[in-house]
Amino acid sequence: MRLHVDQRHERVLELVRERGSVRVAELAQALGVSPVTLRRDVEALAAQGRVQRMHGAVIWPGSGTEAAAGRAPGADAESLVIGLVVPTNNYYYPEVVRGAREVVEAHGAKLTIGISNYLPGEDVQQAERLVAAGVDGLLLTPTWDEGAPDGMEGSWVAEFGVPTVLMERWAPHGHPAAALDRARSDHAHGAAEAVRHLASLGHRRIGLAVQVSPTARHLRFGYAAAVDALGLERVPASPLDADPPAGEGDRFDRTFAYLCEIIEKHGVTAVVLHSDADALVLIPRLQARGIRVPEDLAVVAYDDEVAGLADQPLTAVAPAKRQVGARAAALLLARLTVAPDAVPTHGQHLDLLPELRIRASCGTGIARP
């Protein structure tokens, strides 16, 4: 039979009094409730001064068992366990994970990971699994199609009862996740820098081709802002922006057709391509059609995963992936290691600027009119 909240509180107090300190995950299992529910109970009891919380453990006041809980208030991060959920481990995110791991392990803590593979609902299941296993905090990259929740979608990210930091995601004002700490790449700035560089080489008609991803909206925004700010000529948008492709083959075929059209009919002499993996497929197709890079078309790729390895190395915008993971982990550790009686730290939203890496695919520019 499910216990009433008052009965759960009494049972929590009984178990903590008996043992001196108990991990939250153990208490949840003993009471047959979710870790999220148990953490809410503990928060209520701690607010009344009946128990103390210590990063994943509950302690009986004055019991002298702080060491048994794994760490003392305001101590270093040793024995902390950090949970991390990312969409994939084979593109973009390995560097994010590496940055987080380096910071976590440098502080003597442990990182444990979950992968959602962009499957619907898998991100929340992975996060719940980590919380149930007793992690002290979460680093999350939810599977939000445009990098932000749609309406009140994703409110679960703020409901785990442990400190949580978003990586490469954001939430609009009014959303429960908007108050969470976050670290992300400023992709709009990266796209604008690509346009600015191409304009400095004399290009006045610059195109943009992006794949469907959480990054796309930011690239479109930064690109359009830079085109307007620099007084460049506007280029018709890709039809894929409004009509998503049916699959990978359709995406490449339609993107190639769009590039040919804006080059041959609209006089485009430069383009920003997302991603650089796509650029490695599309550039040979363009060259087979007689469109030379960079003589006829200057190219800036986006992501810089493999751009430097092309037979003709591609100029690319490189988001600060490793730094995003590192800064997110540092934000979370700061939350977890602050003394309970310290002044609360203000939340932080960190936007890290991508780097433009100049290589051969832009050439030396074109003659100015």
Side-chain angles (χ1 to χ4, degrees):
M1 184 177 67
R2 184 181 295 274
L3 296 175
H4 185 271
V5 60
D6 293 335
Q7 293 174 310
R8 284 202 315 272
H9 287 184
E10 290 302 319
R11 182 59 177 152
V12 169
L13 292 171
E14 179 183 345
L15 290 172
V16 177
R17 183 171 57 247
E18 289 176 356
R19 304 181 191 180
S21 70
V22 191
R23 297 283 294 178
V24 169
E26 296 174 10
L27 280 174
Q29 185 175 14
L31 273 64
V33 298
S34 72
V36 172
T37 297
L38 198 283
R39 289 181 190 275
R40 289 172 179 163
D41 291 340
V42 170
E43 288 176 2
L45 292 170
Q48 300 168 18
R50 304 177 75 182
V51 297
Q52 294 178 356
R53 294 177 295 164
M54 280 192 188
H55 313 306
V58 188
I59 299 173
W60 189 254
S63 64
T65 57
E66 285 83 356
R71 54 195 80 76
D76 61 32
E78 290 186 4
S79 76
L80 284 173
V81 180
I82 306 301
L84 179 149
V85 179
V86 289
T88 178
N89 65 343
N90 58 18
Y91 187 85
Y92 195 98
Y93 287 98
E95 280 295 297
V96 176
V97 173
R98 184 173 293 110
R101 180 178 180 180
E102 289 172 350
V103 170
V104 168
E105 293 183 349
H107 285 76
K110 176 184 177 182
L111 186 71
T112 183
I113 189 171
I115 305 292
S116 69
N117 282 315
Y118 292 103
L119 297 173
E122 185 64 26
D123 44 10
V124 64
Q125 292 184 32
Q126 291 288 339
E128 288 175 342
R129 175 183 63 81
L130 292 172
V131 171
V135 299
D136 300 289
L138 289 169
L139 299 170
L140 295 181
T141 304
T143 305
W144 294 337
D145 290 342
E146 294 195 345
D150 182 11
M152 293 306 290
E153 170 196 18
S155 60
W156 55 268
V157 303
E159 297 175 353
F160 286 111
V162 298
T164 300
V165 176
L166 295 177
M167 302 187 304
E168 293 292 20
R169 296 292 185 266
W170 66 283
H173 298 300
H175 191 279
L180 296 178
D181 291 327
R182 70 172 185 241
R184 64 172 184 170
S185 299
D186 189 343
H187 295 301
H189 175 84
E193 282 296 286
V195 173
R196 184 197 61 77
H197 175 66
L198 291 168
S200 74
L201 297 175
H203 298 281
R204 303 296 300 171
R205 298 183 182 90
I206 301 170
L208 172 72
V210 299
Q211 59 177 261
V212 178
S213 76
T215 306
R217 67 186 292 175
H218 304 292
L219 298 182
R220 294 189 198 102
F221 178 81
Y223 162 84
V227 166
D228 289 344
L230 295 168
L232 303 179
E233 297 182 33
R234 296 199 175 194
V235 174
S238 168
L240 274 71
D241 292 349
D243 181 19
E248 287 293 279
D250 181 49
R251 177 165 69 85
F252 279 111
D253 289 344
R254 291 172 61 194
T255 301
F256 175 65
Y258 166 70
L259 292 174
C260 291
E261 178 179 354
I262 61 174
I263 294 166
E264 296 169 355
K265 295 184 180 180
H266 298 280
V268 163
T269 58
V271 67
V272 180
L273 292 178
H274 175 242
S275 64
D276 50 327
D278 280 17
L280 293 183
V281 174
L282 292 165
I283 288 175
R285 295 190 183 187
L286 292 170
Q287 292 173 328
R289 191 181 178 100
I291 300 169
R292 301 167 299 166
V293 174
E295 292 86 352
D296 303 317
L297 183 72
V299 173
V300 177
Y302 200 93
D303 275 354
D304 202 26
E305 288 282 321
V306 291
L309 302 178
D311 54 352
Q312 181 184 52
L314 305 179
T315 294
V317 177
K321 292 167 277 193
R322 196 167 183 170
Q323 290 81 359
V324 165
R327 296 297 293 274
L331 286 172
L332 183 57
L333 289 169
R335 290 281 178 196
L336 290 169
T337 56
V338 67
D341 58 351
V343 176
T345 303
H346 289 291
Q348 296 186 59
H349 292 170
L350 303 181
D351 288 348
L352 305 185
L353 304 185
E355 174 189 359
L356 181 67
R357 295 173 178 170
I358 308 298
R359 301 190 181 101
S361 62
C362 289
T364 57
I366 61 177
R368 296 180 183 272

